[in-house]
């Protein structure tokens, strides 16, 4: 079910340019978004589970799973994209490049669902980067000078934030028993002893880095540049849904990797707030 929810919009997005008729392209997109929403509804009532797709090393795996957090964010993404997709048909009906828009629209949804189902930091980071690369063309859609500037600024801020977050993951991999998401975190107290400040700095960089996607200060400068130049449907999913990827990543780092107890009352909590 999890893999199907990723592959369905991904394959539809890849194959959509091969469909000749504009009406058929809209039909394929509608059916894909409707099926995705139906699958998300089924997932809401499915038991929690996880599955390893493949292993890069003995300790690094690409793993998907379902828990209460993933159910919430998958539901938001699937139903949100369905509503925006329906609106986008009329908005882009008279444009020549609407097929390219819907291709990247579906591919962005696939990457977003993959991140929602991620069960460790490695898997989440891979999909997090995909979201940036696949959603940038939505901002670039009009291909005006302002659109190019807005898309590049969105890319720069997102990649910079992801770079900070990657540094956080490197440090946490050394002091956590596992990078898998476990309620309460997996930080090893013995390994962390004497390195508290270093870990706090790493976590703060992760919060700021992932927060760039959510438009959190100080990496929020892309918002007023990218949103006015993007088509309204793109702006809707960027602000209402894709930005939640940053929120989800912060939740996973704080509550499922480090553990909130490690940060309560520290300078990280105060600076973050």
């Amino acid at each position: 079910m999890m893999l199907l929810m990723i592959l369905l919009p991904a394959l539809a997005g890849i194959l959509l340019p091969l469909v000749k008729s504009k009406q058929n392209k809209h039909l394929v997109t509608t059916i894909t978004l409707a099926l995705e929403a139906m699958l998300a509804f089924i997932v809401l009532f499915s038991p929690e589970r996880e599955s390893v797709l493949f292993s890069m090393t003995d300790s690094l795996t690409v793993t998907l799973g379902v828990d209460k957090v993933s159910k919430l964010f998958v539901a938001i993404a699937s139903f949100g994209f369905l509503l925006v997709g329906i609106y986008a048909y009329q908005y882009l009906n008279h444009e020549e490049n609407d097929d390219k828009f819907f291709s990247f629209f579906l591919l962005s949804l696939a990457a977003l669902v993959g991140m929602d189902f991620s069960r460790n930091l490695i898997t989440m980071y891979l999909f997090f980067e995909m979201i940036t690369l696949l959603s940038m063309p939505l901002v670039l859609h009009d291909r005006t000078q302002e659109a190019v500037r807005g898309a590049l600024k969105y890319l720069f801020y997102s990649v910079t934030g992801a770079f900070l977050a990657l540094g956080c993951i490197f440090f946490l991999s050394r002091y956590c028993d596992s990078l898998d998401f476990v309620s309460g975190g997996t930080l090893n107290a013995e390994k962390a002893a004497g390195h508290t400040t270093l870990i706090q700095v790493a976590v703060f960089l992760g919060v700021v880095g992932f927060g760039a996607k959510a438009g959190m200060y100080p990496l929020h400068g892309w918002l007023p540049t990218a949103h006015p130049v993007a088509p309204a449907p793109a702006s809707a999913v960027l602000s209402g849904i894709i930005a939640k990827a940053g929120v989800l990543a912060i939740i996973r780092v704080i509550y499922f990797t480090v553990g909130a107890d490690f940060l309560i009352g520290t300078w990280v909590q105060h600076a973050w707030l």
Side-chain angles (χ1 to χ4, degrees):
M1 182 74 74
M2 294 178 289
L3 195 57
L4 178 60
M5 288 192 66
I6 298 172
L7 292 178
L8 177 64
L11 291 175
I14 293 172
L15 298 176
L16 194 62
L18 301 178
V19 180
K20 300 300 181 182
S21 168
K22 178 177 288 192
Q23 184 176 359
N24 289 337
K25 290 178 181 180
H26 289 175
L27 181 61
V28 170
T29 304
T30 303
I31 293 174
T32 302
L33 293 174
L35 288 174
E36 193 78 355
M38 290 174 59
L39 292 172
F41 184 77
I42 295 173
V43 167
L44 286 175
F45 300 96
S46 64
E48 297 186 12
R49 62 188 182 277
E50 64 178 54
S51 176
V52 178
L53 294 184
F54 62 89
S55 299
M56 293 182 283
T57 67
D58 293 338
S59 58
L60 299 180
T61 63
V62 174
T63 307
L64 301 178
V66 175
D67 64 1
K68 292 182 177 63
V69 176
S70 61
K71 288 180 180 181
L72 170 64
F73 280 86
V74 163
I76 292 173
S78 299
F79 290 103
F81 265 73
L82 174 61
L83 295 176
V84 175
I86 293 172
Y87 165 75
Y89 302 146
Q90 291 299 320
Y91 187 91
L92 300 170
N93 190 41
H94 301 292
E95 297 195 18
E96 295 180 358
N97 297 320
D98 62 330
D99 57 336
K100 295 182 177 63
F101 178 91
F102 285 114
S103 288
F104 285 105
F105 187 79
L106 292 172
L107 290 170
S108 297
L109 174 59
L112 194 60
V113 170
M115 183 181 170
D116 293 339
F117 282 138
S118 297
R119 287 302 299 157
N120 58 41
L121 282 177
I122 300 301
T123 310
M124 185 184 75
Y125 183 81
L126 291 174
F127 281 110
F128 186 84
E129 289 281 38
M130 289 183 196
I131 292 171
T132 297
L133 298 176
L134 294 172
S135 61
M136 188 194 76
L138 299 180
V139 181
L140 191 61
H141 177 73
D142 289 338
R143 302 180 185 180
T144 62
Q145 185 176 357
E146 291 78 12
V148 173
R149 188 183 300 114
L152 290 176
K153 193 170 185 178
Y154 168 60
L155 179 65
F156 174 77
Y157 273 77
S158 296
V159 171
T160 301
F163 177 76
L164 295 177
L166 183 60
C168 169
I169 294 174
F170 281 140
F171 279 104
L172 294 182
S173 66
R174 182 174 181 179
Y175 298 107
C176 291
D177 292 328
S178 169
L179 294 181
D180 293 341
F181 297 141
V182 178
S183 182
T186 61
L187 188 65
N188 187 305
E190 294 182 2
K191 293 180 180 179
H195 304 282
T196 300
T197 302
L198 178 62
I199 298 172
Q200 289 176 351
V201 171
V203 172
F204 183 68
L205 290 179
V207 169
V208 174
F210 284 127
K213 182 72 72 180
M216 187 177 73
Y217 178 88
L219 295 177
H220 65 294
W222 63 271
L223 287 163
T225 304
H227 279 283
V229 298
S235 185
V237 293
L238 277 171
S239 60
I241 305 172
I242 293 176
K244 303 302 179 289
V247 176
L248 173 60
I250 293 174
I251 291 174
R252 290 301 195 187
V253 169
I254 300 300
Y255 294 97
F256 292 84
T257 306
V258 180
D261 292 340
F262 179 77
L263 299 174
I264 291 178
T266 66
W267 67 269
V268 177
Q269 181 186 29
H270 299 152
W272 179 14
L273 293 174

